[in-house]
Amino acid sequence: MNMLPVREVVVTPVAFPDPPLLNSAGVHQPWALRAVIQVRTADGTTGLGETYGDAPHLSLLNRAAGALDGLDAFDLAGLRARIADAIGTVDAPDRHGLTGGSTADKTLSKVVSPFEVALLDIQGKAIGRPVHDLLGGKVRDRVPFSAYLFYKWAGHPGAEPDAWGEALDPAGIVAQARAMIDRYGFSSIKLKGGVFPPEEEIAAIRALRDAFPELPLRLDPNAAWTPSTSIKVAEQTDGLLEYLEDPTGGLAGMAEVAALAPMPLATNMCVVAFADLPEAIMRDSVQIVLADHHYWGGLRASAELAAMCRVWGLGVSMHSNSHLGISLAAMTHLAAATPNLTYAVDTHTPWQSGVDVLVEPLAITEGAAIVPDGPGLGVTLDEDALARLHENWLHTDIRERDDTAYRQRFEPDYVKRRPRW
Ligand code: GKR
Ligand code: MG
């Protein structure tokens, strides 16, 4: 048997500029943090992975990295076992809580994920096949993404306005949608809500409907509303939304809303691990689950999630956080090989302003990314760009994503309250 033993693992923290995007936790800081993973096998093949860059996560990544020497690149079961041993039972929650609660198992899945992606990249390179073939084969050649709109300030306080400008009302949101759609050709729209009172966000949805009569719309307030507010918003947006995402928190509250809402409910907050599925299904809390390989444990675990959703009649969509091109490539391979992922995938790509760590990041044109067919992920690391983004990380004092604390610097009375309305 030909083994492909891991010989070197490099974890590089990076930072890239991020606009002041508002959400129910506060506002994005000027730098988004990520970690780039490079795994090298004895024959010199390198696999790439990308994940969160928050300090507690980084320290777990480094512990995991130190435990992989000699692991066969095809041994994904061994990967999880070694990482579990290396990090022990530890729970590292996010400060923002925008991807739901945290447990030791979810933490382990978050740490395993980028290494799994890197090993799949290596496997694909070793046999000369794309990652989507390792996931069962692509069922589509193009993966549609959605225009992910945010209320935002014109620029970070004290800095010049950014190229996107201010969006604090329906007109601003429509202008942002137009700019994003002109540039990327998106044919579905998601609005991040939970920022203004629900009636203002409903007005923004109505304005989007008027401006883009044909495009499916989604609204995601990240659990900013009570169940009764959620039901009212659902009634008032009847016929306007493809789905309503995480209007309220928890499986019980979502079930209460789902029972009366005229549209399906989606989540990336109350179903975030396999252990959440039985109760969610029993209560009929959600009709669509947003997969995210970064915390579901990797691409294969996300494919398993999709299979379970298929069995139980749940729809599958895909969630994103601020990310770079390695994640975009991984998401594209996963979406390409997941037959029941029938919704346009979320991405923060337009907010990156072209900054990346890849020689040629996947392009989104006519609203979709062409699925790469080269070996592995089909993307190449740009070492100089990686060094530049690592320099950014060295120069910023941001070490954890904390949207609430950043907003409080400018609005000392701001408190994160979920539900707020
Ligand atoms: O980037 O502010 C953001 C989003 O709110 C993100 O953190 C969420 O996790 O996009 C996510 C969502 O769909 O909830
Ligand atoms: Mg969401």
Side-chain angles (χ1 to χ4, degrees):
M1 191 162 62
N2 287 335
M3 306 282 275
L4 271 179
V6 170
R7 276 294 163 258
E8 193 189 0
V9 182
V10 183
V11 177
T12 310
V14 296
F16 60 90
D18 201 17
L21 308 179
L22 293 150
N23 57 35
S24 74
V27 64
H28 285 207
Q29 295 148 292
W31 296 97
L33 307 178
R34 295 296 273 179
V36 172
I37 308 293
Q38 294 173 79
V39 177
R40 245 181 294 283
T41 45
D43 68 345
T45 308
T46 300
L48 299 175
E50 179 189 334
T51 178
Y52 313 99
D54 300 287
H57 186 59
L58 265 183
S59 105
L60 295 176
L61 292 172
N62 282 315
R63 267 156 65 188
L68 301 186
D69 190 55
L71 177 77
D72 177 30
F74 280 80
D75 184 6
L76 299 180
L79 173 74
R80 193 170 176 103
R82 283 199 191 199
I83 295 180
D85 269 1
I87 69 172
T89 305
V90 50
D91 184 4
D94 305 317
R95 282 181 188 274
H96 50 77
L98 294 166
T99 52
S102 183
T103 58
D105 194 58
K106 187 178 171 197
T107 301
L108 172 60
S109 293
K110 276 163 72 167
V111 177
V112 168
S113 172
F115 297 104
E116 188 245 24
V117 173
L119 292 192
L120 289 171
D121 190 19
I122 291 170
Q123 291 179 19
K125 286 172 176 160
I127 60 169
R129 305 296 292 251
V131 164
H132 58 73
D133 274 352
L134 301 170
L135 300 173
K138 67 177 175 180
V139 294
R140 47 186 72 87
D141 294 320
R142 304 168 69 250
V143 169
F145 286 86
S146 62
Y148 195 165
L149 312 181
F150 280 79
Y151 290 105
K152 69 179 288 294
W153 295 336
H156 283 283
E160 289 297 308
D162 58 51
W164 292 99
E166 182 177 274
L168 297 172
D169 57 18
I173 288 294
V174 168
Q176 185 187 96
R178 228 178 260 298
M180 209 177 266
I181 288 170
D182 281 352
R183 178 144 174 217
Y184 295 93
F186 293 116
S187 49
S188 92
I189 297 179
K190 163 166 170 172
L191 173 61
K192 173 62 52 179
V195 176
F196 293 111
E199 50 282 12
E200 293 183 39
E201 299 187 353
I202 294 171
I205 289 293
R206 287 190 196 290
L208 286 168
R209 170 50 68 241
D210 291 344
F212 305 95
E214 306 299 330
L215 303 195
L217 304 175
R218 311 164 186 172
L219 175 60
D220 175 13
N222 282 115
W225 307 331
T226 62
S228 73
T229 301
S230 305
I231 291 165
K232 281 187 207 124
V233 176
E235 284 165 357
Q236 287 167 37
T237 49
D238 188 7
L240 293 175
L241 297 180
E242 175 181 41
Y243 57 71
L244 179 58
E245 188 173 320
D246 288 310
T248 198
L251 293 173
M254 286 285 277
E256 208 181 316
V257 180
L260 295 171
M263 69 287 284
L265 300 191
T267 188
N268 61 267
M269 294 183 77
C270 67
V271 180
V272 293
F274 289 100
D276 298 325
L277 280 168
E279 188 184 339
I281 292 167
M282 207 171 62
R283 290 180 182 270
D284 197 17
S285 303
V286 300
Q287 291 67 51
I288 296 159
V289 177
L290 276 76
D292 183 331
H293 74 272
H294 301 90
Y295 60 80
W296 278 90
L299 300 180
R300 284 163 49 102
S302 303
E304 281 172 26
L305 166 66
M308 289 184 198
C309 289
R310 190 176 68 235
V311 171
W312 291 97
L314 296 170
V316 184
S317 190
M318 199 187 283
H319 165 262
S320 81
N321 275 128
S322 306
H323 65 89
L324 294 165
I326 301 171
S327 284
L328 182 69
M331 290 157 74
T332 301
H333 281 275
L334 174 61
T338 307
N340 56 330
L341 207 163
T342 49
Y343 296 97
V345 171
D346 289 354
T347 179
H348 284 58
T349 295
W351 300 112
Q352 264 167 249
S353 318
V355 174
D356 216 316
V357 289
L358 296 180
V359 173
E360 200 178 334
L362 301 191
I364 298 176
T365 48
E366 295 176 24
I370 305 293
V371 179
D373 284 326
L377 288 173
V379 293
T380 306
L381 189 67
D382 178 337
E383 301 278 357
D384 294 339
L386 180 69
R388 280 196 302 276
L389 269 61
H390 180 59
E391 275 296 306
N392 292 341
W393 180 82
L394 291 172
H395 284 110
T396 173
D397 58 1
I398 298 172
R399 285 293 174 265
E400 246 184 297
R401 175 177 173 187
D402 191 344
D403 300 19
T404 309
Y406 183 58
R407 183 152 175 186
Q408 284 166 340
R409 270 170 53 185
F410 314 106
E411 294 173 24
D413 295 338
Y414 177 81
V415 275
K416 176 171 81 181
R417 218 177 310 120
R418 286 201 292 252
R420 186 183 295 281
W421 293 284

